[in-house]
Each structure stands twice: as structure tokens, then as C-alpha cells.
Amino acid sequence: MNQVSTGKAEGTLHGPALELPSFSGPLDLLLHLIQKNRAAIYDIPIARICDQYHEYLAAMQEVDLEIAGEFLWMAAWLLQVKSRMLLPAVAESGEDPRAELVERLLEYRRVKELAGILSEVHAMRRGMWPAAVDAGLEPEEVELDWEDVDLEAICRAYVEVMERFAADHPPPLEVLPLRYTVERTMRDLYGRVRSEGMVPLLRLLHTRNDTEEVVTAVVAMLELARLGGIHAEQRKAFAEIYLRPGQRELDMDTLLKEREEHGTRDAESHR
Amino acid sequence: MERETLRAIAEAVLITARGPVTAEQISEAVGEREVEPALVEEVLGEIRDDWDTPHHGLRIERVAGGWRCATPAQLEPYLRAFHGVASRQRLSQAALEVLSIVAYRQPVTLPEINFIRGTNSAGVVRTLLERKLIRMAGRKQVVGKPFLYRTTREFLVHFGLERPEDLPDPEELIPGEPTPVPDDPPTGSAGPGGEDSGP
Amino acid sequence: MERETLRAIAEAVLITARGPVTAEQISEAVGEREVEPALVEEVLGEIRDDWDTPHHGLRIERVAGGWRCATPAQLEPYLRAFHGVASRQRLSQAALEVLSIVAYRQPVTLPEINFIRGTNSAGVVRTLLERKLIRMAGRKQVVGKPFLYRTTREFLVHFGLERPEDLPDPEELIPGEPTPVPDDPPTGSAGPGGEDSGP
């Protein structure tokens, strides 16, 4: 029972020069002291045990051990029980101030007993290796035992899926300032149609690999056609669209100035 | 060392090894001078002969790199059948992913699941339906009216939950150590309907 | 089907299965009406007895409601030498204590474990979850909805138990004092290491 535990995360007692046995918690230490004193759990000599408990903590502090809060909690509790034992009123009431402590110790001792049994079984069975003969079937998909799929497993799976989703879908790029304006494209396109007499629109668009430029050109073309400055013609579905000068002659300078004043930002509304 | 102990060691090594094993390796593992590779080889031959009977389901055989343990070829159909039976109690990683999406985002449609996973999950959804871990719960009132899926009563029983809302939040999963939680995916027009229209 | 064929199938299944196998599964895989689970169980018992000799390096045992095949523990030093691995990690005293509490009070919450041990056990619980010796099994319907923990099938396999109830009862092992144990830890009372214990 008086083992040297390796209580990891809790009440850790480590350090090379340590002569003191370490305990997995304050109840473990208390149980050890009771046994050392050959006392019964049901009749703890509380004053003696309390003193020894405090001596132990002091020794721990001397070797600069960090003492977990739980050990201090227990120290305070023991002091409280000790002082209550001395009160005549408590003694007369027949109520034992140690009762709760006793209950906790009995329960913990039961756990420690079972842990001891498990420890032996563990030591014995740790050396058994499962058979790992390959069945010779085609390589199987990694599968999980449904038995092992608990709340933790399903929650982790969800976190992983969403992490992967986030990685595959980075936040959208910021919108860059427009590189092509409808106004400028209108001017260029109108000029070209006037000077060349006929412009094949689709061929023109196909030579542009910038989507933004294509969109701007289409909008500019539609605007010019609406104003009657150019005439668009397509003989049959999917055939080339030819742009020719329209019935109206446009004064591009005045026109574009007006557009700007009206603040129509076609390019943006068409994005 | 007793010959029977050597024999037991050789068997134990063979059934736990992943690939072929040589007599030299076993001799070395035993680490006793008198257990030479030749002796091990002899014992391995004995083991092979002993196991080679119709009432045994394992064979020891000499292969290129040494000796290995395998099952007799004629038992393959049974192993395959057993594998099928056993796999009903298993779940693929893909199935676990889809199940987690349905669990956490229910009700959810197949297109939404596909969008999140970035891969078609129709087969997996069918498997989960067959295993009664998810169920259909009406249709979503969007184009194509896809089915909505939810988890089942059986799902809750397996996980010991009263309600799907009791599933753990990723943050509370690991006490003391915060898990990174991704932001929700965009729930816009293309997104997996976060602001869902129930049936 | 010949009995010897059934025996061979059972052996082949056992050495290739990755976990405990039930007689029902083997019976189903064979798929013949006369090969009932009871017959398979009988054959498995035969195999167990036949293999249990010093010259064999494999054993089968009844565990976690099924049967599984493993090497005898006393051959471990040779297997470690052959596989070139260190001994499998021991469980710490703290881990064994938490495991004991989960085993005989399951399902149990972390605050309850903390209370019984008088010390914060969150780290140990996480380790045991990672080692698949305990699993999350729902939430307790009390304030804060803490997770409930149970032992796993891996726990049963590791400790050679058929059911969690097969654990010895320490009360019977402690002579002398009768031990009145409260049904539930008096949560909310002022003991150290209660609900929110933790350094």
C-alpha cells in the first residue's frame, strides 16, 4: 500500500534528491499516515495525524516542492476537525467531526485497493501480444470499431472536417480596384468600329483572357448599342457578332462627361 | 533452453510479425549461444509440419525472405465472409465524417454535405441510412428539393445523449487545452444552409 | 461441414481478427444452419485447450464477450527483443486509480472522480481516453452537464475481463471493518477536491 506513486498531473512530487515518498493526492497521504500509526480509519487520532500531515507538508516545502492546492486544502480541513474535537459542545452532541473524513477515506481506500488489483493484472497481461497475421484480403480501408466511436471521436471528426473545409475555402480575395472602365472601353470600341467599319465582337473577346476586361467590353458594347452609336448583328445563334457604326454619331467626350456626372458606375453594378 | 520453449518463441514471433522472419533473427532474439540459426531452422520445419493438417487454420511457410505465418488459401471465402460480418460493427473514416456533419448541422442535405466534404458522399449517406444512424427528415424548400437528414434515436442511444444538442462543443472536449475551432463556413447562397429552412 | 474444417476456420479467423471475435460472428460467416454458435463455442474451447501447452506460442482466451488470440505473457522478453521495442507503457498509480473509479462506478463524471480521489484528475482522464481504456458516454443531466465516462472494450481486453461486473469487489477483499459507502459522492459538500477542484 505504501507505494511511491507517479501521480503525474496532480500534486506532482518530483525532483531528484527526494527522499519523501510521493502520493497521488491528499487522501493517499492521509491513508499512509493512518497506516503508519497503526490507527483505525474509524477512530483517527486526529491531533497526531494532523501534526504529522503538517510536518510532511513542511518537509515538502523544505525541498522546494510545489505543493498542490489540494494538499493545503486537506491541511486546513484537518486543523478544523482537530479544533472541533476540542470543543466541549461538539463532544456532548455525540456528533463526530471526523465522520465525513472517514467516509472519504473509506471510499478512497476502496479505489486504491482496486487500483492495486488492476496494477497486478496490468503487469501480468501487458506482455501479451495480439496476433497480427494478415488475412491476405485486399488492403482494407481503415475502419473504426463502432464501439470506439464515442462523443470525443465524433466531435474530433467534425472539427477535422471543418478545419479541412476552412483550409480549402480561404476567405475570398479583397476586391481590387477596377483596371478597366466602361467609359474608356466605350471610347476605344467606338473609335475602332468607326475607323474599321466592322469589328467581330466574339473574336475580340476571345483574345482577352482577363475576365474583367471581357465583362467591361460587353457592357461597353451594350451601352454603345443602346445609344445607337453602333449596330450589332448576328446572323444565327452562336455565330459571330459583327459590330458596325450605328445610325447616330456620338460625341464621346460630351457623352462620357455626362456619364461621369451622373455617377453611373456600370462596371461596378455588373460585376 | 528447452526445445519446446524455442518452439513457442518461434510461433509467437511468427504470429506477431508483419513480414517474413529469418532463423537468424529468431536466434538473435533468443540470445543464447546454443540456439543457433540451424537449430531454429529445424524447429521452424517442425512447426510447419505440425500445423499442416486440415483441422488447423494457420500455416507456417518458407518464403523468399524467410518464414511467415499465413492462413490456408482454401479458407479465404470464410475469412472474407467473416470480414463482411465484422465490418458491420465498424465505420469508415468517411462515414464518421458524414455522421459528424449530420450530427452537428442537422437538418442537412446531401448537397450541403458534399460541399463541406468536397467530395460526393451519396454512398456513405446510404450506408448510414441503412445502419439507422441517420434518417430522412423532409425536404429542403430550395431548388431540387433535396432531402434533409437528421440523426436517429439509435444514434443518441449509442452516444448516451438525450438530445443532439448535448453533443460536445469542440472547446469543452479537451479540459484545460483549447482546441482550435474553425469558423463556420460561409452560409451564403452556395453555403451549406446554416440559416436553414426546416421542413 | 466437417468439424475439423470448422476448427480450421475458427483458428484462421482468430489469428487474423483485430479484436475479440464472437461465436455468433463465426457461425454467421460460415453460414450453414447446423453450425450454430453453441457448436462454434465448443470448438473454440477445444482450440483453447489444445493450444495451452508449453510448446505453443499462441493462446486464445475468452474476453470482452468474445474470443481473442494473443501470445503468452511469459514470452514477452523474446518478442520485445525480436521487435526491438521497449516494454509497453505502464499505467501510473493515478491512472489506475481513475480507471478503478470509472470501472466500478460507471458511468461517472470528472467532478465525481475528482471528489473521490481528492485531487484533480483531468489530465489522467485525458490520457486514459487517448489509450482507449475509457470513453465518453453521454452527459449527466445536472448543472453544467458534465461528461460521463465508461470503460471500453479495450479495457476488458487489456484486463482479461468478460464484463465490467467481473471486476473483483475490493470490499470483499478487505477483511475487518465493514465499509458503508455512500451511493453518490456528496457533491456540493465542502470537501477538498470537490466539483471545481484543480490547482
Side-chain angles (χ1 to χ4, degrees), chain B residues 3 6 10 21-27 35-48 60-63 65-67:
Chain B
R3 196 181 177 100
L6 176 56
V21 173
T22 63
E24 285 75 19
Q25 288 174 309
I26 294 176
S27 160
V35 181
E36 287 170 0
L39 175 61
V40 176
E41 199 77 30
E42 203 183 298
V43 168
L44 284 164
E46 256 174 56
I47 299 174
R48 174 191 51 204
I60 309 292
E61 53 188 26
R62 244 189 172 297
V63 291
W67 295 76

Side-chain angles (χ1 to χ4, degrees), chain A residues 3-11 24-28 40-42 68-70 73-74 77 100 103-104 106-119 121-135 145 147-148 150-152, chain C residues 15-16 18 61 68-71 73 76 79 83 85 87-94 96-97 100-101 104-105 115-120 124 132 135-136 138 153 157-160 167-171 173-174 177-181 189-192 198-199:
Chain A
Q3 39 64 72
V4 174
S5 87
T6 53
K8 260 192 204 150
E10 62 289 302
S24 74
L27 288 168
D28 198 17
I41 289 182
Y42 284 103
E70 296 119 3
W73 221 112
M74 178 63 78
W77 193 15
E100 194 187 342
E103 232 169 59
R104 295 281 299 267
L106 288 173
E107 174 74 350
Y108 177 70
R109 188 178 65 175
R110 187 177 169 199
V111 167
K112 229 188 134 176
E113 278 297 319
L114 188 54
I117 296 167
L118 289 184
S119 176
V121 178
H122 174 57
M124 201 169 65
R125 295 180 57 88
R126 208 152 54 100
M128 297 170 66
W129 289 51
V133 178
D134 187 21
D145 212 310
E147 184 88 6
D148 290 339
D150 66 351
L151 284 178
E152 203 203 7
Chain C
I15 62 162
T16 56
R18 293 291 176 261
E61 58 173 2
R68 75 141 192 175
C69 176
T71 61
E76 204 218 359
L79 289 177
H83 291 279
V85 293
S87 183
R88 250 190 288 177
Q89 221 190 324
R90 298 189 95 86
L91 290 166
S92 69
Q93 174 69 21
L96 289 163
E97 285 181 11
S100 301
I101 294 169
Y104 84 95
R105 296 192 77 104
F115 183 81
I116 295 173
R117 290 193 63 224
T119 184
N120 184 17
V124 183
K132 291 205 191 313
R135 65 188 165 92
M136 279 187 182
R153 192 166 62 171
V157 170
H158 189 87
F159 290 95
L167 276 172
D169 187 347
E171 276 181 71
L173 299 165
I174 303 169
E177 304 163 295
T179 53
V181 175
S189 80

Side-chain angles (χ1 to χ4, degrees), chain A residues 8-227:
Chain A
K8 260 192 204 150
E10 62 289 302
T12 312
L13 306 177
H14 47 69
L18 182 61
E19 292 278 320
L20 300 159
S22 67
F23 297 93
S24 74
L27 288 168
D28 198 17
L29 170 55
L30 204 51
L31 209 52
H32 167 74
L33 295 177
I34 289 168
Q35 271 154 5
K36 215 176 78 178
N37 285 276
R38 298 175 182 281
I41 289 182
Y42 284 103
D43 192 18
I44 304 169
I46 199 77
R48 202 182 338 147
I49 296 292
C50 180
D51 291 349
Q52 289 177 7
Y53 188 94
H54 280 83
E55 278 165 27
Y56 182 85
L57 288 200
M60 280 166 79
Q61 267 156 344
E62 238 164 69
V63 289
D64 263 347
L65 281 172
E66 201 188 313
I67 297 168
E70 296 119 3
F71 282 87
L72 299 175
W73 221 112
M74 178 63 78
W77 193 15
L78 288 172
L79 273 177
Q80 194 209 9
V81 173
K82 184 176 148 186
S83 58
R84 283 188 69 207
M85 296 283 285
L86 300 173
L87 293 177
V90 174
E92 274 164 32
S93 75
E95 179 195 316
D96 192 339
R98 300 170 296 182
E100 194 187 342
L101 196 56
V102 169
E103 232 169 59
R104 295 281 299 267
L105 279 167
L106 288 173
E107 174 74 350
Y108 177 70
R109 188 178 65 175
R110 187 177 169 199
V111 167
K112 229 188 134 176
E113 278 297 319
L114 188 54
I117 296 167
L118 289 184
S119 176
E120 278 167 33
V121 178
H122 174 57
M124 201 169 65
R125 295 180 57 88
R126 208 152 54 100
M128 297 170 66
W129 289 51
V133 178
D134 187 21
L137 306 174
E138 54 273 1
E140 58 196 79
E141 202 189 339
V142 180
E143 284 182 327
L144 306 132
D145 212 310
W146 179 230
E147 184 88 6
D148 290 339
V149 180
D150 66 351
L151 284 178
E152 203 203 7
I154 194 153
C155 185
R156 272 188 202 289
Y158 183 64
V159 170
E160 277 165 31
V161 166
M162 295 322 286
E163 275 172 358
R164 207 173 57 218
F165 180 87
D168 291 347
H169 298 77
L173 293 173
E174 267 179 58
V175 179
L176 296 168
L178 290 176
R179 284 164 297 155
Y180 303 92
T181 64
V182 173
E183 284 75 13
R184 183 133 51 96
T185 312
M186 278 172 75
R187 186 191 293 274
D188 294 349
L189 195 59
Y190 186 67
R192 239 182 109 176
V193 173
R194 298 292 294 189
S195 64
E196 291 172 27
M198 185 184 81
V199 172
L201 178 68
L202 294 183
R203 205 180 311 160
L204 179 82
L205 296 180
H206 283 151
T207 57
R208 304 287 185 273
N209 47 23
D210 188 322
T211 319
E212 198 182 314
E213 188 180 357
V214 171
V215 170
T216 315
V218 171
V219 173
M221 182 276 285
L222 290 173
E223 187 64 9
L224 287 170
R226 188 179 67 82
L227 295 168

